[in-house]
């Protein structure tokens, strides 16, 4: 579903902030889908602080694995959650109200599986990741979350 540019640039960030608050505060009971795209809650531990962190992210599936993207909407810097899971890859996710342990594996463009995974996540998110990649020179990683 393609969204109008005025919505993506103006209202979308506000809608996603409200979605994030509701999804986190209901521990996944409300908010599994945001704008028709499935989302999960990623529970990490701060790499520097050691504090628990929770972020809602859109995801796609590759078999039994969950795929998330460290795009930060094309920002030149990767999102904080990405730095946290690179340091501590054993994390937990909520898919709706179900919470379980996963191991995170970042996949970058030099990995032979990257192109296939990129196509899955990009199609799942209405090709937004291609637009985000155009905004930044950093390679945007796909993160594979495998159930432990």
């Amino acid at each position: 579903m393609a969204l109008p540019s005025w919505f993506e640039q103006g209202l979308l960030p506000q809608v996603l902030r409200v979605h994030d608050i509701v999804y986190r505060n209901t521990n996944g009971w409300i908010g599994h889908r945001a704008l028709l795209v499935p989302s999960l809650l990623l529970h990490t531990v701060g790499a520097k602080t050691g504090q628990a962190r929770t972020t809602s992210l859109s995801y796609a599936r590759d078999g039994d694995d969950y795929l998330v993207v460290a795009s930060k909407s094309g920002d030149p810097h990767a999102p904080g959650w990405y730095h946290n899971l690179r340091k501590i890859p054993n994390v937990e996710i909520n898919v709706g109200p179900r919470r379980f342990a996963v191991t995170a594996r970042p996949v970058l463009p030099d990995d032979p599986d990257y192109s296939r995974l990129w196509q899955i996540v990009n199609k799942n998110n209405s090709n937004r990741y291609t637009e985000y990649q155009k905004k930044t020179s950093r390679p945007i990683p796909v993160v594979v979350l495998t159930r432990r």
Side-chain angles (χ1 to χ4, degrees), residues 30-142:
I30 300 172
H32 178 239
R33 290 197 172 270
L35 302 172
L36 303 177
V37 177
S39 61
L40 57 77
L41 293 173
L42 175 68
H43 305 281
T44 60
V45 175
K48 292 179 184 176
T49 66
Q51 292 182 325
R53 306 277 187 213
T54 301
T55 307
S56 64
L57 300 168
S58 63
Y59 73 89
R61 295 293 302 266
D62 181 37
D64 291 336
D65 292 333
Y66 294 83
L67 307 174
V68 295
V69 181
S71 68
K72 199 174 180 183
S73 300
D75 192 273
H77 303 285
W81 62 262
Y82 179 70
H83 297 293
N84 293 341
L85 65 76
R86 286 186 60 217
K87 176 93 174 181
I88 305 169
N90 290 330
V91 296
E92 293 183 344
I93 62 173
N94 271 73
V95 178
R98 294 177 299 130
R99 185 170 176 156
F100 49 92
V102 295
T103 300
R105 179 179 59 90
V107 179
L108 292 164
D110 60 347
D111 186 297
D113 217 18
Y114 183 83
S115 179
R116 182 183 69 79
L117 296 174
W118 180 265
Q119 288 177 15
I120 293 169
V121 295
N122 194 44
K123 180 180 178 187
N124 185 66
N125 205 12
S126 301
N127 298 315
R128 284 184 188 88
Y129 296 125
T130 297
E131 294 306 310
Y132 296 161
Q133 185 60 79
K134 291 176 185 176
K135 293 180 181 180
T136 184
S137 59
R138 77 174 169 88
I140 295 178
V142 175

